[in-house]
Amino acid sequence: MDSTDQNAAGEPQVPNSERDVRAETVRRLERAMGELGTAAVARMESRLSWFRQMSAEDRSWVGLVAQSGVAAFVDWFKTPGRGRPAITVEVFGTAPRELTRSVTLQQTVDMIRVVIDVVENRVEELAAPGGEQQLREAVLRYTREVAFSSAKIYARAAEARGAWDARLEALIVDALLNGDSEQGLHAWGASLGWTRTPIVAVTGGLDEESESGALDDLRSAARRAGHDVLAGMQGDRVIVVLGMSEKTTGDDAPMAAVRPLVGMFGSGPVVVGPAVTEMHSASDSVRAAVSGLRSATAWPDAPRPVLAEDLLPERSLEGDPDARRQLVEEVYVPLRDAGSPLLDTLSVYLEHASSLEATARMLFVHPNTVRYRLGRIGELTGHMPADGRGAFVLRVAITLGRLAESKATPTE
């Protein structure tokens, strides 16, 4: 029979001499398996700093993987007609799934190199006479299969981790939108690697044609800028929560963090909630941003992005109790507490089409007195009565403040 004939199992016949050489090499490998595994672990201890820094439990698992790798190679080498080795089950199946979180893909490659180096350095000793080339070729083929299997394992782990992270992000965004302030939010955020504060929420729409990849693009852009980020879809809007980078500082920090991301939102308004200092307070920022997005259509000329606090009048008219309370506390109450001249002057000024002279005549004061009082109103509230937008904010605040006081005062 020719050496290339097939046996009953359909496998190529190996010449007797080659089969004998392989059989002798297998016996030598089997005798040296324990020694090779131990040598591989010792080599990792001396060459790989990350291995030395691992916990004792993880080191023992890595050592077991190395031992299993050697044993699986010997078993595969014993039967050349078996085809590709089942690396995933025979080698990595011995370790827990959590090990992929302790050992990176690059570290796995380093580990494989060490194990293969140990075997290759002893080829002359391990191979039967005349079988050196045969063993080297088998080692190279096995190394390639281990590398491919490692990549598959880490790809599957990354895919599963990515799917879990996306679900967890959606869960956190839902909790924040619904006002959940449980301490569990800290644990959820920590599991996603969330460490940065202050925190600010951003919301806007997405164009239908870009919706599928827009969330990934937003996350990538935010992370490149050094921010922690959560993103989730809520109906036709996207909500992004940013833990701002320490490089983003100052009073304008929220807007500075958001401006580079605005182009990834769809057409329409993009609203930025107030900055908060803790994760469990982030629901305040999320609710403000969502409220601002709902009411932003009432201010067609609003900047993009726009702060939710700049939309307080629209949010109040739309029915947001937080916005109403904030307008009363930050605008009406300071004017009321400053004394009747300021509040009376503002009321008359707004009622008389923002005319200094008409206001002065109605109050029997000099126009310069009116001008001074209007300046004081701007200092107290941050809104200038002579400005169209400022006048609108002040008018809504006064109306809400008077309504609140009338409800608080019992009627006769």
Side-chain angles (χ1 to χ4, degrees), residues 94 112 118 127 173 176 243 268 279 291 298 303 339 342 350 363-364 409:
T94 60
I112 293 169
V118 168
V173 170
L176 293 175
M279 174 64 81
S291 172
L342 290 186
L350 294 175
L363 296 175
F364 301 102
T409 303

Side-chain angles (χ1 to χ4, degrees), residues 65 87 109 217 234 288 294 307 339 354 379 411:
V65 169
I87 304 295
V109 172
D217 292 342
Q234 294 286 332
R294 285 198 304 264
L307 291 171
S354 302
E379 293 173 1
T411 59

Side-chain angles (χ1 to χ4, degrees), residues 173-174 177 203-208 211 215 232-239 290 293:
V173 170
D174 282 338
L177 184 59
T203 184
L206 291 179
D207 294 330
E208 290 184 4
E211 185 172 316
L215 284 182
M233 291 296 301
Q234 294 286 332
D236 59 352
R237 65 184 173 231
V238 61
I239 298 174
V290 170
L293 186 65

Side-chain angles (χ1 to χ4, degrees), residues 60-119:
S60 67
W61 281 119
V62 172
L64 183 58
V65 169
Q67 295 275 6
S68 300
V70 173
F73 169 72
V74 174
D75 184 61
W76 171 75
F77 184 76
K78 187 188 304 184
T79 53
R82 191 168 126 189
R84 296 180 64 181
I87 304 295
T88 302
V89 175
E90 296 180 357
V91 179
F92 297 103
T94 60
R97 188 183 301 271
E98 290 78 9
L99 190 63
T100 58
R101 297 185 183 180
S102 302
V103 182
T104 66
L105 179 58
Q106 181 58 54
Q107 290 170 341
T108 302
V109 172
D110 292 341
M111 181 181 71
I112 293 169
R113 285 174 178 165
V114 168
V115 175
I116 297 307
D117 284 347
V118 168
V119 177

Side-chain angles (χ1 to χ4, degrees), residues 102-396:
S102 302
V103 182
T104 66
L105 179 58
Q106 181 58 54
Q107 290 170 341
T108 302
V109 172
D110 292 341
M111 181 181 71
I112 293 169
R113 285 174 178 165
V114 168
V115 175
I116 297 307
D117 284 347
V118 168
V119 177
E120 281 187 327
N121 289 339
R122 298 183 58 180
V123 164
E124 302 295 334
E125 170 191 344
L126 295 171
E132 293 84 357
Q133 186 61 30
Q134 183 186 69
L135 182 57
R136 286 195 183 92
E137 290 177 356
V139 169
L140 289 175
R141 182 182 172 192
Y142 189 78
T143 303
R144 182 188 64 185
E145 297 298 340
V146 170
F148 287 154
S149 294
S150 300
K152 287 180 181 178
I153 287 172
Y154 278 85
R156 284 198 297 269
E159 183 177 356
R161 177 70 180 178
W164 166 249
D165 285 354
R167 289 194 295 271
L168 186 55
E169 281 192 41
L171 179 63
I172 295 175
V173 170
D174 282 338
L176 293 175
L177 184 59
N178 293 323
D180 188 344
S181 59
E182 294 295 326
Q183 292 297 322
L185 286 174
H186 287 287
W188 293 348
S191 69
L192 293 174
W194 190 284
T195 60
R196 300 189 186 280
T197 57
I199 298 168
V200 65
V202 192
T203 184
L206 291 179
D207 294 330
E208 290 184 4
E209 60 272 16
S210 64
E211 185 172 316
S212 57
L215 284 182
D216 290 337
D217 292 342
L218 279 167
R219 292 186 187 102
S220 298
R223 286 170 182 148
R224 284 197 300 271
H227 309 304
D228 289 337
V229 59
L230 301 172
M233 291 296 301
Q234 294 286 332
D236 59 352
R237 65 184 173 231
V238 61
I239 298 174
V240 180
V241 182
L242 297 177
M244 290 188 287
S245 167
E246 63 274 5
K247 298 177 183 178
T248 310
T249 58
D251 295 337
D252 191 46
M255 297 295 275
V258 172
R259 285 190 189 102
L261 308 178
V262 169
M264 300 177 191
F265 288 86
S267 57
V270 175
V271 182
V272 183
V276 296
T277 57
E278 295 180 337
M279 174 64 81
H280 70 261
S281 300
S283 59
D284 297 336
S285 185
V286 171
R287 288 200 307 275
V290 170
S291 172
L293 186 65
R294 285 198 304 264
S295 58
T297 54
W299 186 14
D301 296 329
R304 189 173 188 267
V306 60
L307 291 171
E309 292 187 345
D310 290 339
L311 288 161
L312 286 176
E314 289 78 10
R315 290 167 54 196
S316 299
L317 295 173
E318 202 269 337
D320 183 344
D322 293 333
R324 292 180 176 179
R325 182 167 49 254
Q326 189 172 345
L327 266 183
V328 171
E329 292 176 354
E330 296 182 1
V331 179
Y332 178 76
V333 171
L335 289 174
R336 183 199 63 192
D337 293 347
S340 58
L342 290 186
L343 193 55
D344 292 343
T345 299
L346 178 60
S347 298
V348 173
Y349 180 77
L350 294 175
E351 290 297 331
H352 287 80
S354 302
S355 169
L356 282 173
E357 291 75 13
T359 304
R361 285 195 301 270
M362 289 296 298
L363 296 175
F364 301 102
V365 296
H366 194 277
N368 284 343
T369 302
V370 175
R371 188 176 288 109
Y372 168 77
R373 290 176 181 176
L374 294 179
R376 284 284 296 137
I377 290 168
E379 293 173 1
L380 280 173
T381 65
H383 303 283
M384 296 302 299
D387 175 70
R389 179 68 186 175
F392 174 63
V393 174
L394 290 165
R395 183 182 290 275
V396 174

